[in-house]
Amino acid sequence: HMKHSIYFKNECVEPFGDLMHILNKELIIEIVKKLDLVPLIQDGFVAYSQGRSVVPPVGELSFKDPPGDVHIKYGYILGDSYYVIKIASGFWKNETFGIPNGQGMMLLFDQKTGQPKAILLDDATLTDIRTAVAGQICAQQFANDVHCIGVLGTGLQARLQVEYLKQVTKCRTVMVWGRNQEKIEQYQLDMEEIGFKVALGESPRQVAQKSNLIITATASSEPLLFSDDILPGTHITAMGSDTPGKRELGPGVLKVSSLVVADSIAQCQERGEIAHALVEGDISNDRIVELGNILSGSKPGRTAPEQITVADLTGVAVQDIQIATAVFESYLEKEI
């Protein structure tokens, strides 16, 4: 791979004579394949919950025509080498132009001097991967022995979330539901190629009635699952609703859950499933447990097999910081 480097003309901007590196998507994907991301992202969640990071509120742009949204997530972990700014977008009509919905990049700066160190031109691939890893962590922590993985949605996360479960469950049985028949059938073909047996669900309810681990990965603004759809002992990883207008879990679902986990309580109070449940009075703030506190052992996770558990994943900058730093440091090691 060609190494792209930018020299700054102005020497006083650059007292250490450093280069700024630009990593292209292909190179990033090659590096990520060799990284063990689970412990890194767990450490990020723990640092966040222990107050060892600085993560301001999410920046957001919404577009109507064509529809899309842009998330700007940024921050740093105290004592790290870098601070990170991540820009990731989803523009839902991109397939009509023959380009992926997901776009974006991650920017790394020296935490001590503010100097730009790297641009990771990942087209939001790192966001997709760190989101799938968070789902994998939640399944490992909260799911019972899985007999069927239920999936709402047929997009990239509906695929990656399942693929990343391979490392934490032997279950290879999936039931999927989506709005578009063609996309459901394509999902079935693609997932069977990587070793899953996929049944097509007639409705979200049918998926829930057959599954004890459910992944919701749609951009829905209307609830898809309701409290009487969910079997005892089910874990739900809800990761589709990452803006205030989106919602996948209907009234009552969080009320019947024994454990309600937020990746970030502050974010989930404003977006995602928890925000809706708080407004409707299904849960109160004292019932929300932050993922990092469970991972560090300071709060319990699932305490009985029959419990329904929900993890509301809105995506936290610490995940971006951890994956971007790991990619860049791995790249530097190979450059030296």
Side-chain angles (χ1 to χ4, degrees), residues 20-23 106-109 115-120 328:
M20 186 166 81
H21 303 270
I22 300 180
L23 283 64
M106 296 195 178
L107 311 173
L108 281 82
F109 300 82
Q115 287 173 295
K117 290 293 177 184
I119 301 176
L120 308 186
F328 185 50

Side-chain angles (χ1 to χ4, degrees), residues 102-207:
Q103 299 291 325
M105 63 183 67
M106 296 195 178
L107 311 173
L108 281 82
F109 300 82
D110 189 302
Q111 206 184 106
K112 294 182 179 65
T113 66
Q115 287 173 295
K117 290 293 177 184
I119 301 176
L120 308 186
L121 295 173
D122 69 322
D123 290 350
T125 301
L126 293 175
T127 296
D128 295 328
I129 291 169
R130 62 78 153 149
T131 305
V133 171
Q136 180 188 352
I137 289 166
C138 289
Q140 192 168 22
Q141 290 288 323
F142 310 123
N144 286 310
D145 192 23
V146 184
H147 60 75
C148 179
I149 302 162
V151 182
L152 305 189
T154 55
L156 188 57
Q157 274 306 316
R159 295 151 188 266
L160 280 179
Q161 289 281 337
V162 174
E163 196 179 325
Y164 273 70
L165 290 176
K166 275 187 163 179
Q167 295 153 51
V168 295
T169 175
K170 291 188 179 70
C171 179
R172 299 291 180 264
T173 308
V174 172
M175 182 178 266
V176 65
W177 172 87
R179 287 198 176 85
N180 178 314
Q181 193 60 31
E182 203 180 313
K183 286 183 180 172
I184 299 170
E185 288 167 10
Q186 191 58 54
Y187 180 92
Q188 184 180 35
L189 289 171
D190 293 346
M191 298 309 285
E192 288 185 344
E193 262 181 34
I194 61 165
F196 291 91
K197 189 166 165 275
V198 182
L200 307 184
E202 300 281 306
S203 63
R205 179 180 169 83
Q206 191 191 8
V207 170

Side-chain angles (χ1 to χ4, degrees), residues 43-59 72-78 80 82-86 111 130 263-268 270-271 290 314-322:
D43 289 349
F45 283 128
V46 171
Y48 178 77
S49 292
Q50 291 180 346
R52 292 187 284 111
S53 67
V54 173
V55 175
V58 177
I72 302 152
K73 294 184 176 176
Y74 56 109
Y76 62 93
I77 294 172
L78 299 172
D80 268 14
Y82 310 105
Y83 74 84
V84 173
I85 298 174
K86 188 279 294 279
Q111 206 184 106
R130 62 78 153 149
D263 53 2
S264 155
I265 289 174
Q267 279 181 203
C268 290
E270 293 179 355
R271 62 189 64 232
E290 209 162 64
T314 56
V316 191
V318 283
Q319 297 163 262
D320 302 312
I321 295 162
Q322 289 294 81

